Amino acid sequence: MSRTCILLEWLSHSYFVICGVMQSKRGRLDRYLCSQLHTHRKAVRELLLSGRVCVDGLIVKDMDRQVDEFSRIQLDEQILQANAPVYVMLHKPIGVVSATKDTQHKTVIDLLDCEARDELHIAGRLDLNSSGLLLLTNDSRWSDALMSPTHKVDKVYRVTLANPITEEYIAAFAEGMYFGFEDITTQPAKLVILADNVAEVTLHEGKYHQIKRMFGRFRNPVVGLHRLSIGDIVLDEKLAPGESRALTVAEVASIR
Ligand code: URA
């Protein structure tokens, strides 16, 4: 048995190799090691001081070194954590639910064929009867940046209404609307009339059923809602409904 395995057996009372994913986004290396190796800080300090722990290929001796879920963490030859960030664009079809599990409907996760699909979360849901660009990732810092109202990432939708749209909608969307239920006023939104009953709407936020509720103020039901883009990430026209692809490096970087 190798030195590492003996140590791990001692630390964890188990012969099995430990390979754990950090639950929090970012935290101290010593806390991660205590939890993964089921040991106390004194033992972890000794491991670190003896130069047996590497983070991203470099020996680390600091107890308070910060690591995240994508730091590669190694004890001797043993890899404790090695996760790659994954970013996916899906053309969400109507009738598929934006959730990771559902008892009634097919979920967006069911449509993916990538290996890491069960580790992904959705960065900005779409309603069951909405379609278009949906982003999924296992990188919570990236999705937080994308969803944060302070980053003001544009989300652009093509909206088809039951009745004609008039010019007064433009000012009402730009001004913001008060929603008593949440006690909030929507941030200024841009509305461009494309045809009698078709508009392009740009939002910086994503409140519950926001677009439907905003058009609801005019008693004009939404009959079609399709997301075209999020920031600089535009739904790839080569993707048929239900198809997905990995984001490019430039698309990922556009959100940071
Ligand atoms: N607004 C809605 O009402 N529904 C969506 O799916 C997205 C934005």
Side-chain angles (χ1 to χ4, degrees), residues 159-184:
V159 192
T160 308
L161 286 308
N163 306 309
I165 309 156
T166 61
E167 295 283 327
E168 64 181 313
Y169 288 41
I170 299 172
F173 274 63
E175 207 168 290
M177 290 181 192
Y178 178 70
F179 289 157
F181 185 68
E182 300 100 322
D183 190 23
I184 50 127

Side-chain angles (χ1 to χ4, degrees), residues 86-188:
V86 177
Y87 308 91
V88 175
M89 162 191 300
L90 169 73
H91 184 164
K92 179 196 170 300
I94 290 168
V96 173
V97 71
S98 291
T100 49
K101 284 194 179 71
D102 193 86
T103 47
Q104 270 187 299
H105 298 98
K106 194 179 244 196
T107 73
V108 290
I109 297 290
D110 294 331
L111 298 175
L112 303 179
D113 58 9
C114 70
E115 238 176 73
R117 68 180 202 164
D118 293 326
E119 282 143 39
L120 303 184
H121 60 267
I122 299 159
R125 292 166 196 280
L126 284 171
D127 295 341
L128 183 68
N129 52 3
S130 301
S131 59
L133 176 63
L134 193 82
L135 299 175
L136 299 109
T137 182
N138 58 354
D139 182 349
S140 38
R141 276 200 287 164
W142 187 82
S143 55
D144 286 352
L146 191 132
M147 301 310 297
S148 152
T150 52
H151 282 78
K152 293 202 186 304
V153 177
D154 286 351
K155 294 158 189 93
V156 183
Y157 300 83
R158 193 182 56 236
V159 192
T160 308
L161 286 308
N163 306 309
I165 309 156
T166 61
E167 295 283 327
E168 64 181 313
Y169 288 41
I170 299 172
F173 274 63
E175 207 168 290
M177 290 181 192
Y178 178 70
F179 289 157
F181 185 68
E182 300 100 322
D183 190 23
I184 50 127
T185 300
T186 58
Q187 289 182 18

Side-chain angles (χ1 to χ4, degrees), residues 125-131 157 203 206-213 222 225 227:
R125 292 166 196 280
L126 284 171
D127 295 341
L128 183 68
N129 52 3
S130 301
S131 59
Y157 300 83
L203 302 180
K207 304 290 178 216
Y208 179 67
H209 291 330
Q210 183 166 342
I211 291 182
K212 289 175 188 156
R213 289 161 79 197
V222 169
L225 183 48
R227 186 154 61 201

